[in-house]
Amino acid sequence: VKAIRRLARLAPAAVLPLPLAGCAGWQSALDPHGPGAAALARLIWIFTGVSVVVWVLVMIALALAVGSRRALPPPGDPLAVDPGHDRRAALVITFAIGVTFIILLVLTGLSYSAQKTITEPQPNELSIRVTGYQWWWDVRYEDADASRTFTTANEIHVPVGRPVRLTLGATDVIHSFWVPNLTGKMDLVPGRQNELRLTADRAGVYRGQCSEYCGYQHAHMGILVVADPPEEFEAWRNRQIAAAEAPADPLRQKGMELFLSRPCVVCHSVRGTPAGSRGGPDLTHVGSRRSIAAGMLPTNRGTLAAWIADPQGIKPGSKMPTMELQADEINAIAAYLEGLK
Ligand SMILES: [Cu+2]
């Protein structure tokens, strides 16, 4: 019994750090790595702090009132007024309304200024168009020079320190783009263009998630934002702009032939080959991405083969059908795709 009692006493100490531990990490609004997220985190803390203070004050007032031993007025005429009491009550109520009004005014001002930090256009923005699909992200880098535009999927690279403007759209249902370490969330609505801005202060990989329920695989609609130092970003962009290299070894050559002769070309693009469809993620440099299937699996030959063999087993309901392929065909296609760096 003693041991249990001691455990019970320790339990709160063990549980308390858990919610706090949830505040750090690579998908947390309370661990900001950019000015947008920082403005929001500040807002969250201020709102929480003010609410806590108000709550504590109200509770103290309530406790004082309940515990007050002041005698009730003697029973008499219930309509008799006590002008002194009425004046005091009016004063307290006016004061409380005034304070509430000022607090609301200040909080509104603060959230307006945070909103401004998040949405205001910045000079020298990098422009990226993100389109939500069930259940993956199409990512198009725009440039005044058309030869420098290109498409990729599910992984956005940005240069550290440079402001980014995201133009958000969707083709099927409403999705929502949310990378909490970098900025607030914004919906992707079919037939509409929304804008969201972010700047990454530090290099790193930030995970995001679709945050508007969009169907069966909504929970498996992740996105990565990779913030690279500017030179690394330029190198990455130049590699992405380039078409896929033709494979040199026989296995990968066979994989490419199979890829181009199977239903894959109905939905996928590999720039530099005849495959040019837009129904699924662009695969031109799929081997260079950290994950496939919108963050579900790390990219390697094994996971690529597993995905091609049975996408419906891995991500039931996804818009890629399970196709009839032989094991050696799957192996060759996986080798081909893995090499598309
Ligand atoms: Cu979604």
Side-chain angles (χ1 to χ4, degrees), residues 200-250:
D201 285 341
R202 274 169 282 174
V205 181
Y206 305 104
R207 193 182 190 282
Q209 172 69 42
C210 177
S211 56
E212 173 83 29
Y213 180 71
C214 60
Y216 196 9
Q217 289 297 339
H218 162 68
H220 291 139
M221 188 166 165
I223 188 157
L224 291 181
V225 175
V226 183
D228 296 321
E231 326 74 64
E232 263 176 55
F233 171 77
E234 276 313 316
W236 174 86
R237 175 155 72 171
N238 290 332
R239 282 197 306 277
Q240 297 288 319
I241 290 170
E245 274 170 35
D249 72 287

Side-chain angles (χ1 to χ4, degrees), residues 133 135 137 174-176 210 212 214 218 221:
Y133 286 82
W135 289 278
W137 311 84
I174 300 178
H175 305 271
S176 180
C210 177
E212 173 83 29
C214 60
H218 162 68
M221 188 166 165

Side-chain angles (χ1 to χ4, degrees), residues 112-127:
Y112 177 75
S113 105
Q115 178 90 1
K116 219 167 152 219
T117 311
I118 294 170
T119 54
E120 207 163 39
Q122 305 285 323
N124 190 29
E125 282 175 337
L126 179 70
S127 176

Side-chain angles (χ1 to χ4, degrees), residues 26 126 128 141 154-160 164 179 182 198 200 202-207 223-229 232-233 236 288-290:
W26 77 331
L126 179 70
I128 304 175
Y141 283 71
N154 297 332
E155 185 174 308
I156 299 178
H157 283 242
V158 300
V160 171
V164 177
V179 182
L182 295 178
L198 62 86
R202 274 169 282 174
V205 181
Y206 305 104
R207 193 182 190 282
I223 188 157
L224 291 181
V225 175
V226 183
D228 296 321
E232 263 176 55
F233 171 77
W236 174 86
S288 74
R289 300 204 282 265
R290 283 164 175 73

